[in-house]
Amino acid sequence: MWTSTFTYQLSVKSVPMGLPPLKLVETFERLIPGFIRDSRKIEIAQMMWATLDPSRRHRSVEGAFWFPTEELRCLFGEVRNFSNANRHGLRYFRIGQSHNGSARKGENFGASYQPLPWMQRALDDYLAFADSAGFDCCYGGVSSTRGGAISSLDRAGNPIKRWRGIEIRRTVPVNRKNLFDLADFLVHLEQHLMANHPLPKGFWCQSSQVKEVLRQTQGLLLGSSSGSIHLRYVAAQSGRLYATGLNLQNCKREIRFAALDGRWDYDIRACHFAILAQMAAKYGHRSDRIFEYVEHRSEIRSEIAKNTRLSVSEVKMALASIAYGARRSNRPVDAIPLALGLERAQALYEDPIFIGLTDDLRGAARVVVKSHPLKQGRFINAAGRLIAGTESIPRLAAHLLQGVEAVALESAVRVFGVNYPERLASIILSGGVER
């Protein structure tokens, strides 16, 4: 959320994670022995601050997060400098190597960074007691936002051709009273769970997620001390826009509703499913089950949930994962077993409705990939973005579909932005390549 709003003196170019509030560093200095003397304390605090971004949660290690090597190099100059500051896993973060769910050979194992207990307690202490009205960044304070809300460079540092000339507000007012009320409710809910009381059936948040949702809400409160949040979007390889840092895009829907109370939420119904079925139909492939799901998704989710004793939200998550390339896998580290647990995932795999729909999704994706023309060994999607033709079918299908989504979203935003530029609050997207 704050990537583009702060200046910071580093010997290397700025990194894509938000800078930590000065009071967070002071909290670490007060609670962590020796932290005040650590020459890398700002960088360590910056990593801890970044753990509030839910997109950084590690796929297979509970309580851990991921930091690309490039980011660590930007922060510390060399990765070994971080290892030295971290005392090789004994000081701030526990480091592990684990399967990250990627289907790409050579990239399917990565490092996990799990804050040690004293670091997590210090961050929680800061979030619970920090005065958001006094929010300020380390070393330099707040500066004016450079450029528009959409970065002119993609994630790889290449200039983007699309989205030019589109004006999106760089700051969006949020309802802080609603966020305070939500945070207070979540604190009481956490106490309710600690007393071994269950959540009501069908509640919008699972018990294991309450603490994380509370941290997201507190982070938004701290970042909106002026009454607004800062927006910054970067284009991915497929052309889709992703928000950087703490943002509304990665938050639970209920947090967004609280923050943007009074605004309209426009959504394309079962967007990925509808585009996939239409693309396959263009090549003569029938996807009757997918079209049926698009028209009657609530009833189908409820029926699967009843058959498998899962919640409707869990069924929705599993179907979305399949649409984005996940498999009916029995490996605990893969997307669906990781989210549901192996035994419950296996029960879902046996449901005939789920089997029929997932088979239809796979068949449609295969037809789209096999029928799409290759240019010099590469696929070019609707957004004009390239991907090597040697990638897996799920990754290729996701690239092609996300290109269509990117163009559709750009068209909607361009029309809306021209007529009502002051009313466009945030771009919300979901989905990626799963395993």
Side-chain angles (χ1 to χ4, degrees):
M1 186 189 303
W2 359 89
T3 301
S4 61
T5 60
F6 297 111
T7 55
Y8 187 44
Q9 298 302 314
L10 284 174
S11 58
V12 292
K13 58 186 176 181
S14 61
V15 297
M17 64 174 82
L19 297 173
L22 181 59
K23 289 185 178 181
L24 174 62
V25 180
E26 292 173 347
T27 300
F28 287 159
E29 290 176 342
R30 175 170 53 86
L31 298 178
I32 308 299
F35 191 83
I36 194 171
R37 297 186 298 274
D38 195 323
S39 62
R40 298 288 185 176
K41 62 184 179 182
I42 304 301
E43 291 88 339
I44 296 296
Q46 192 164 351
M47 290 180 68
M48 286 298 299
W49 187 238
T51 65
L52 291 174
D53 181 352
S55 68
R56 287 189 179 271
R57 286 196 297 265
H58 199 277
R59 291 173 58 104
S60 56
V61 181
E62 185 176 358
F65 302 86
W66 66 272
F67 292 95
T69 302
E70 293 78 10
E71 282 190 319
L72 293 182
R73 286 190 181 129
C74 283
L75 274 178
F76 296 91
E78 294 290 342
V79 175
R80 66 171 178 267
N81 293 335
F82 164 72
S83 298
N84 292 336
N86 194 41
R87 304 294 192 274
H88 302 283
L90 300 175
R91 188 83 173 94
Y92 304 120
F93 293 88
R94 181 180 294 111
I95 314 300
Q97 283 287 123
S98 60
H99 198 289
N100 58 23
S102 173
R104 305 179 69 178
K105 293 182 179 180
E107 298 182 13
N108 51 358
F109 281 86
S112 60
Y113 298 82
Q114 186 173 15
L116 290 169
W118 45 89
M119 296 299 292
Q120 190 62 61
R121 284 197 297 269
L123 177 62
D124 290 343
D125 183 86
Y126 169 76
L127 292 174
F129 299 106
D131 177 11
S132 61
F135 175 83
D136 193 11
C137 153
C138 298
Y139 296 80
V142 179
S143 67
S144 61
T145 305
R146 297 181 179 179
I150 301 176
S151 173
S152 61
L153 302 178
D154 64 15
R155 282 182 172 177
N158 302 313
I160 62 172
K161 296 181 180 180
R162 308 195 70 92
W163 296 98
R164 291 178 179 175
I166 296 179
E167 292 295 328
I168 297 179
R169 298 177 61 177
R170 292 172 294 184
T171 58
V172 173
V174 297
N175 190 319
R176 287 173 55 80
K177 180 182 182 303
N178 280 358
L179 290 174
F180 273 116
D181 290 344
L182 178 60
D184 185 61
F185 168 75
L186 291 168
V187 168
H188 286 87
L189 188 61
E190 195 173 28
Q191 296 171 348
H192 178 83
L193 293 172
M194 290 175 64
N196 296 320
H197 297 303
L199 290 178
K201 188 176 181 180
F203 191 70
W204 57 268
C205 178
Q206 298 180 27
S207 57
S208 59
Q209 298 175 328
V210 170
K211 189 175 187 64
E212 179 63 31
V213 175
L214 174 59
R215 291 177 67 204
Q216 288 180 28
T217 307
Q218 292 170 327
L220 285 176
L221 278 168
L222 290 168
S224 60
S225 57
S226 64
S228 300
I229 60 171
H230 300 277
L231 299 177
R232 188 66 165 170
Y233 300 97
V234 178
Q237 180 188 12
S238 64
R240 297 180 79 193
L241 292 184
Y242 291 88
T244 62
L246 286 170
N247 56 80
L248 291 170
Q249 189 180 86
N250 291 326
C251 289
K252 294 280 285 185
R253 179 184 290 263
E254 288 73 19
I255 298 178
R256 293 202 300 270
F257 283 177
L260 302 176
D261 186 29
R263 294 183 179 271
W264 288 92
D265 179 20
Y266 293 97
D267 186 23
I268 300 176
R269 183 172 62 182
C271 179
H272 194 97
F273 293 81
I275 292 174
L276 176 59
Q278 290 174 32
M279 291 179 73
K282 184 176 72 170
Y283 298 116
H285 180 80
R286 292 176 59 90
S287 305
D288 294 338
R289 293 187 182 91
I290 301 178
F291 280 119
E292 183 183 3
Y293 176 78
V294 172
E295 291 298 321
H296 307 286
R297 67 192 190 285
S298 296
E299 295 88 338
I300 291 174
R301 290 173 191 163
S302 298
E303 184 66 22
I304 296 174
K306 179 181 178 182
N307 295 342
T308 59
R309 297 186 178 180
L310 297 174
S311 68
V312 172
S313 62
E314 288 173 328
V315 172
K316 179 182 176 181
M317 177 280 303
L319 288 171
S321 296
I322 292 289
Y324 283 101
R327 300 181 296 183
R328 296 197 295 257
S329 170
N330 290 318
R331 298 193 326 149
V333 298
D334 286 345
I336 297 177
L338 181 63
L340 301 179
L342 183 56
E343 185 175 340
R344 301 172 78 225
Q346 289 172 337
L348 179 64
Y349 299 158
E350 295 173 0
D351 181 73
I353 302 176
F354 183 82
I355 292 172
L357 183 53
T358 55
D359 286 346
D360 226 16
L361 288 166
R362 283 182 176 179
R366 190 176 299 108
V367 167
V368 168
V369 170
K370 296 297 184 183
S371 304
H372 193 83
L374 275 172
K375 292 189 178 181
Q376 297 180 340
R378 296 180 294 182
F379 283 80
I380 304 177
N381 68 14
R385 305 305 292 258
L386 306 176
I387 189 173
T390 55
E391 296 286 356
S392 66
I393 288 179
R395 185 172 290 273
L396 291 170
H399 183 79
L400 295 175
L401 267 66
Q402 287 174 8
V404 176
E405 290 175 341
V407 172
L409 179 65
E410 180 191 353
S411 301
V413 170
R414 192 177 291 277
V415 171
F416 198 90
V418 168
N419 294 287
Y420 311 102
E422 75 287 351
R423 298 186 184 182
L424 184 60
S426 183
I427 298 174
I428 306 298
L429 289 169
S430 62
V433 179
E434 301 276 2
R435 180 174 175 81

